[in-house]
Amino acid sequence: MSKSTPKHSLFTHVKEKLAWIIAEHRSPSEAITLTRHLTDADEGRYELLGLVNNCEIALYWDYFWNHVVAVNFDESGVDDLARDVPEDIRYAGRKVYFEDVDLDDWNWVHPRHQWRAE
């Protein structure tokens, strides 16, 4: 009987690419820590979409409010994702959001959304 182990290769690949991009734009010495903070916040209510502004800003989809949250992040963590409740809440969903966005201007797009750039 063989033991089956979960396949983490895709997630590891995502982390490696993300760390590489952060190292190129920000700090090679902090890339792993920053990557861990970004991916730790990528769960439940929030989904990591990508990085913009020379990897200074992380964009997350907020499933509760159905909108994008832009946050800063550093070696101590990701800013509070729930801090800004939008005045004009859009309930159109991610598909409509991505129709109005030029992903070519982003520094990094999460692989689960890269197909939208094609």
Side-chain angles (χ1 to χ4, degrees), residues 104-116:
D104 292 332
D105 293 336
W106 291 25
N107 301 113
W108 180 80
V109 178
H110 197 289
R112 65 181 157 232
H113 297 291
Q114 285 177 346
W115 65 272
R116 297 175 191 272

Side-chain angles (χ1 to χ4, degrees), residues 7-95:
K7 295 185 179 184
H8 298 288
S9 60
L10 178 62
F11 191 63
T12 301
H13 178 70
V14 170
K15 284 183 170 184
E16 289 172 357
K17 289 287 225 182
L18 180 55
W20 185 260
I21 293 295
I22 291 170
E24 287 180 333
H25 285 86
R26 289 185 59 169
S27 169
S29 63
E30 298 172 352
I32 300 300
T33 301
L34 297 176
T35 297
R36 186 175 6 116
H37 292 315
L38 291 168
T39 56
D40 284 351
D42 179 30
E43 64 179 7
R45 177 177 167 180
Y46 301 101
E47 177 182 305
L48 180 61
L49 301 175
L51 302 178
V52 296
N53 295 0
N54 291 319
C55 294
E56 293 292 328
I57 304 291
L59 301 176
Y60 287 85
W61 185 259
D62 180 340
Y63 281 100
F64 183 77
W65 292 108
N66 264 347
H67 79 289
V68 173
V69 178
V71 293
N72 292 308
F73 60 99
D74 60 22
E75 61 279 349
S76 48
V78 174
D79 284 354
D80 183 13
L81 287 163
R83 75 186 191 289
D84 295 323
V85 176
E87 292 177 24
D88 179 25
I89 301 169
R90 297 185 307 266
Y91 290 98
R94 288 177 301 168
K95 181 178 179 185

